[in-house]
Amino acid sequence: MSVKVSVVIPVYNPGKYIDPCIDSLVRQTLPAEEFEVLFVDDGSTDDTPERLDKLAAEHPHFRVIHIPNSGWPGKPRNVGVAEALGEYVQFLDQDDHLGTDALRRLYDMGHRNGSDIVIGKVASNFRGVPHGVFRTNREKCTLRDAPLFDSLTPHKMFRTAFLREHGIAYPEGKRRLEDQLYMMRAYFPAKVVSILGTYTCYHYSKRDDGKNAGSAKLVPEGYYGNLREVLDVVVANTEPGPLRDRVLRRFYRVEMLGRLSEPAVLKYDDGYLREMVDAVRPLALEYMDDSVHDGLGPMLRMRSTLLRENNAEGLVRLARLGSSVKGSARLEDVRWETDGRITVTMAGRLVHGEQRLPLKLLSRDERLYVHPDITSGFLPEGALLDITDDLAGFQAELSLRDREKAVEWLCPTTLETRVEMLDDEDDETAEADGNGPDGAGRTCEVVLRGTGVLATQGSRKGRGSLPRGFWDAWVSVRGLGLVRKTRLGAERAEHVDGQCVPALLSSPARPVIPYFTAPYGNLTLDVSRRGKKLVPYLEGRPVLCMPGRSPQLRLDLVTAPATAPAAVQLVLSKPPAAPVPATEATGTEEPATSEAPDAAVVHAFPSTLRPVHGRAHLPVPRRVEGAPEGTWQLGVRLDGEKGRALALCTVDVDAVGRLRLDDSLPAPDPALLRTLTVQRRRAALREAVRTVAGPVVRRLPSSGRRKVRRFAARLLG
């Protein structure tokens, strides 16, 4: 069988940090005979050569190539590509690892599209990740219609023949920005690039010794000399115009201005700052003309102007201002949807200073400016920074991030950009053009208001359901050319706590518990009992007694139509000596709880939680074999047989085991009862029609069956 993928890994004295890498390769779902692993040992001086040779002897699809030390990963990667037998090459670093299904998914996407490059979603617990690149799957794109230049690391899958045909190789020897040079040389001739955004393929892992690649302090002259080579590739492959400007602007924003902004520039001593400015400024003057400059966000335009003017002191002062700017996100509402998703209503804004004051703007003559209180010292006296045309740059995105694995998923977000006044002037006294009564303008801010969806469940076309873990809600607030991330939940409306109801979702059923962390109060989802239990978050919430011939209790536990029935255990125990006070359902990380007297359990019997119109229903049998006579407290264990029971109500048990529920349990409101009655009747009718008409329909041709089913769906709902 031909080799589909060759995984190329440059190796030098990795020690224990190569273990996750090896483990992820052994566990790949792509059959071993369909891929090969090429460890290119760059003259390691520890026990790595012997260890890799032993590993290759145990796994026939692993190969080890030993070369003299070159001192940098470029040569080992080139050697690996030259030796590769696979249709595609996947680069992997020794201290990183792949998702278990990464090679299979990436190869399938590349093979069906004839892709030259396939980019898989990445996750990192220590370096920035361009999440916008992985917003969705893209079967076919190029540098001209997708923001590929935001992803310039080489840990991707390349068609081997494509690399060889175009002579794309790494510069060898010690140097910086070799990854950017390699990727720009690859992106321009690539006719098809594919992006797999619905599965995390590549994991960057932080080393506890601080020796990840790229962690060494850069030498400005050499670093920006290497960047010049990258910029020359851009210029050589583009004509003057929007595409060239977009690509150059990326390098200006990230590699140049980014190293002259907060927090980095605030840590430079005077000599190193001067070196940085002297190395960056010539590139800015040579490559970044006004069309590149004008497309930057307002704060970046100010930084670019200071750089052009050779004003190092101004860059530091602007960085101090920038470091004081934070993101703020207020949680206004939380609502579970019928499909098991959570809709949050929020308001995002930029704030600054220790008091987190709104970032003030000035509205004058139907134009918007950064307030002069903020720009004072950066612009000539009396000058204003016009941001009217930058208003679209104010955006916010909601995401869920796995606290332990650093996987992050962007969530659907719909926000409206609003300019809201901050001063106390009476609107009736404002001029028609928006000016205040003195003509000086109105003080205002930009607020992003709207909703986001925390999708805990997977969809057929998108990613899978969230795996077990703690998933923190984050908001990225963008504006003025700044991006500030903040947790969601610490600022919230009072009623939100009571709306954070736990849920039981999926098949098999699994709990999803929204809660607010202590002490900061940030919103987190515990999926599949990573560390939380259902019972503490249900105590004090209402339990309704559903009328009918068979008693059922309706718990305040959210369900969805796809929720599978879940086996639970009902228990009878001695009632407490005094009434247990109802606890406040706050949804906080450690809610107040009453200890259920599990030690006093006198009888236990099985039951099943079932989803009924958005909540879990718990059937209570009318008679329980072996139940002791008396008055008992009825509870349910939702967190396993060893878990603490949730107290439900008291029950009377007669001599033959018949149960009679406490009459004091509240009943559901009439509207809910009517809805449930209609649903039961429709379900009974559907079952009757299925029983009577099913055998007849199955004898019809396929077209006839489809017509009958469509008609039945319209008739029965």
Side-chain angles (χ1 to χ4, degrees):
M1 184 175 294
S2 60
V3 177
K4 293 179 177 179
V5 182
S6 298
V7 184
V8 174
I9 309 164
V11 179
Y12 179 73
N13 289 356
K16 65 179 182 179
Y17 301 104
I18 199 173
D19 292 346
C21 172
I22 293 172
D23 183 59
S24 73
L25 292 167
V26 171
R27 294 187 297 108
Q28 286 298 303
T29 57
L30 190 66
E33 62 270 18
E34 294 184 12
F35 75 101
E36 65 173 354
V37 177
L38 301 177
F39 292 101
V40 184
D41 177 48
D42 195 37
S44 293
T45 58
D46 60 5
D47 64 350
T48 298
E50 294 78 13
R51 182 183 180 190
L52 293 180
D53 288 339
K54 181 180 178 182
L55 188 68
E58 296 170 353
H59 300 278
H61 61 304
F62 284 22
R63 286 198 281 155
V64 184
I65 302 170
H66 300 281
I67 64 173
N69 180 253
S70 68
W72 221 246
K75 183 175 180 62
R77 285 176 180 152
N78 291 339
V79 170
V81 171
E83 292 286 333
L85 302 177
E87 179 184 349
Y88 281 86
V89 167
Q90 168 72 47
F91 289 123
L92 175 62
D93 280 355
Q94 63 185 15
D95 45 13
D96 301 330
H97 64 278
L98 297 174
T100 304
D101 204 27
L103 294 183
R104 184 190 68 82
R105 291 180 184 238
L106 290 168
Y107 175 80
D108 286 351
M109 174 174 266
H111 187 70
R112 70 173 172 264
N113 291 298
S115 309
D116 295 321
I117 307 172
V118 189
I119 307 174
K121 178 179 172 65
V122 301
S124 173
N125 60 1
F126 74 100
R127 63 189 297 176
V129 170
H131 295 291
V133 175
F134 311 111
R135 189 180 305 277
T136 185
N137 286 354
R138 290 177 181 255
E139 294 289 328
K140 294 183 178 182
C141 63
T142 68
L143 189 65
R144 290 158 181 80
D145 55 21
L148 303 181
F149 46 74
D150 283 335
S151 178
L152 294 180
T153 57
H155 310 107
K156 301 169 174 61
M157 190 172 281
F158 300 83
R159 190 166 58 84
T160 311
F162 164 76
L163 295 178
R164 292 170 178 168
E165 175 186 350
H166 293 278
I168 300 169
Y170 267 88
E172 298 182 2
K174 292 187 176 182
R175 54 165 295 131
R176 301 300 292 264
L177 297 174
E178 72 276 15
D179 291 346
Q180 282 91 328
L181 183 61
Y182 188 87
M183 288 309 307
M184 294 312 299
R185 286 174 173 171
Y187 276 148
F188 280 112
K191 295 180 180 178
V192 178
V193 179
S194 299
I195 301 175
L196 178 58
T198 53
Y199 178 79
T200 306
C201 298
Y202 198 99
H203 296 260
Y204 295 105
S205 302
K206 186 177 182 179
R207 292 173 56 148
D208 55 21
D209 64 356
K211 294 183 179 180
N212 287 94
S215 59
K217 186 176 181 180
L218 65 86
V219 177
E221 183 179 2
Y223 185 90
Y224 288 103
N226 292 151
L227 179 60
R228 179 181 293 274
E229 297 178 70
V230 181
L231 300 180
D232 285 340
V233 171
V234 176
V235 172
N237 286 276
T238 57
E239 298 293 331
L243 174 61
R244 177 183 287 183
D245 291 345
R246 284 200 306 272
V247 180
L248 289 177
R249 193 175 297 125
R250 182 269 171 206
F251 290 101
Y252 195 27
R253 188 181 71 246
V254 178
E255 302 297 342
M256 298 167 65
L257 296 177
R259 296 187 180 276
L260 293 173
S261 64
E262 66 285 347
V265 75
L266 299 177
K267 302 175 184 178
Y268 299 161
D269 59 40
D270 292 343
Y272 190 71
L273 173 62
R274 190 69 260 166
E275 283 186 62
M276 288 291 294
V277 172
D278 289 345
V280 176
R281 187 166 176 267
L283 295 185
L285 297 176
E286 182 176 346
Y287 292 92
M288 311 302 168
D289 58 19
D290 287 347
S291 62
V292 176
H293 169 93
D294 294 342
L296 296 168
M299 292 287 280
L300 290 176
R301 290 201 300 273
M302 292 173 64
R303 188 167 286 120
S304 175
T305 299
L306 292 169
L307 175 64
R308 288 176 168 189
E309 295 173 350
N310 203 22
N311 188 344
E313 180 184 349
L315 288 169
V316 174
R317 286 189 285 109
L318 185 59
R320 291 197 186 101
L321 170 63
S323 66
S324 75
V325 177
K326 309 295 182 184
S328 170
R330 176 176 168 82
L331 181 58
E332 305 284 3
D333 198 24
V334 174
R335 183 178 71 252
W336 278 101
E337 304 295 346
T338 57
D339 59 0
R341 301 185 302 167
I342 301 175
T343 296
V344 298
T345 303
M346 61 185 186
R349 51 171 54 84
L350 291 175
V351 296
H352 71 101
E354 293 183 2
Q355 296 180 317
R356 297 176 65 84
L357 300 173
L359 195 65
K360 295 191 299 183
L361 305 178
L362 186 68
S363 175
R364 177 188 294 176
D365 299 326
E366 299 184 355
R367 305 293 294 180
L368 278 178
Y369 306 89
V370 177
H371 200 281
D373 289 352
I374 295 174
T375 57
S376 175
F378 303 105
L379 298 176
E381 187 171 351
L384 294 172
L385 181 61
D386 191 332
I387 65 161
T388 310
D389 298 333
D390 299 290
L391 196 59
F394 283 86
Q395 300 173 354
E397 289 184 322
L398 178 67
S399 64
L400 283 171
R401 180 182 173 90
D402 187 317
R403 189 182 301 171
E404 295 169 326
K405 298 180 180 178
V407 173
E408 188 164 340
W409 295 104
L410 293 178
C411 302
T413 310
T414 304
L415 298 173
E416 179 184 357
T417 304
R418 300 183 185 178
V419 178
E420 300 182 0
M421 298 302 165
L422 287 172
D423 55 20
D424 297 326
E425 295 168 341
D426 188 341
D427 287 343
E428 294 181 0
T429 66
E431 301 291 340
D433 61 6
N435 288 347
D438 59 358
R442 300 285 301 275
T443 303
C444 56
E445 67 169 331
V446 172
V447 183
L448 302 156
R449 298 188 182 275
T451 60
V453 177
L454 304 176
T456 65
Q457 303 302 101
S459 63
R460 186 171 300 174
K461 295 182 179 180
R463 62 166 174 80
S465 299
L466 294 180
R468 183 172 186 259
F470 291 117
W471 291 87
D472 299 325
W474 285 86
V475 178
S476 293
V477 183
R478 300 171 181 268
L480 303 181
L482 304 175
V483 182
R484 297 292 185 262
K485 295 193 73 170
T486 182
R487 289 292 305 276
L488 178 66
E491 299 178 57
R492 61 183 184 271
E494 290 184 4
H495 71 278
V496 166
D497 294 56
Q499 294 178 324
C500 283
V501 184
L504 203 62
L505 305 172
S506 303
S507 180
R510 61 182 189 146
V512 177
I513 304 171
Y515 69 95
F516 295 100
T517 63
Y520 301 110
N522 296 315
L523 179 62
T524 294
L525 305 182
D526 180 320
V527 177
S528 299
R529 295 192 188 95
R530 178 62 184 85
K532 304 296 175 184
K533 304 295 184 184
L534 282 170
V535 168
Y537 292 90
L538 286 172
E539 288 183 316
R541 295 191 181 274
V543 177
L544 306 180
C545 184
M546 307 302 297
R549 300 176 64 181
S550 300
Q552 289 191 25
L553 300 180
R554 183 176 173 89
L555 308 184
D556 202 12
L557 178 62
V558 171
T559 62
T563 300
V568 295
Q569 188 182 64
L570 288 169
V571 298
L572 299 176
S573 59
K574 294 179 181 179
V580 178
T583 58
E584 184 181 0
T586 63
T588 52
E589 182 160 11
E590 298 297 339
T593 62
S594 58
E595 290 297 328
D598 283 0
V601 169
V602 297
H603 194 68
F605 49 99
S607 186
T608 303
L609 283 176
R610 299 185 182 279
V612 179
H613 194 61
R615 289 295 186 270
H617 279 212
L618 180 64
V620 179
R622 301 183 67 87
R623 184 174 181 274
V624 177
E625 192 72 33
E629 184 178 3
T631 299
W632 309 105
Q633 179 174 278
L634 178 66
V636 58
R637 287 181 173 141
L638 301 172
D639 299 306
E641 292 187 5
K642 296 183 179 180
R644 185 161 52 83
L646 172 69
L648 299 172
C649 61
T650 58
V651 295
D652 292 325
V653 182
D654 65 15
V656 294
R658 285 191 294 261
L659 272 64
R660 182 175 178 273
L661 297 180
D662 186 350
D663 292 334
S664 66
L665 279 175
D669 64 76
L672 175 60
L673 281 178
R674 287 193 296 270
T675 300
L676 294 177
T677 299
V678 170
Q679 287 184 344
R680 283 198 299 268
R681 289 174 178 172
R682 285 182 176 175
L685 181 57
R686 283 195 296 269
E687 183 60 30
V689 170
R690 189 178 297 113
T691 301
V692 174
V696 177
V697 173
R698 283 193 289 271
R699 295 190 184 97
L700 297 175
S702 59
S703 59
R705 290 197 300 270
R706 286 194 295 269
K707 290 180 181 179
V708 171
R709 286 168 180 160
R710 284 197 295 267
F711 175 75
R714 289 196 299 269
L715 181 66
L716 302 176

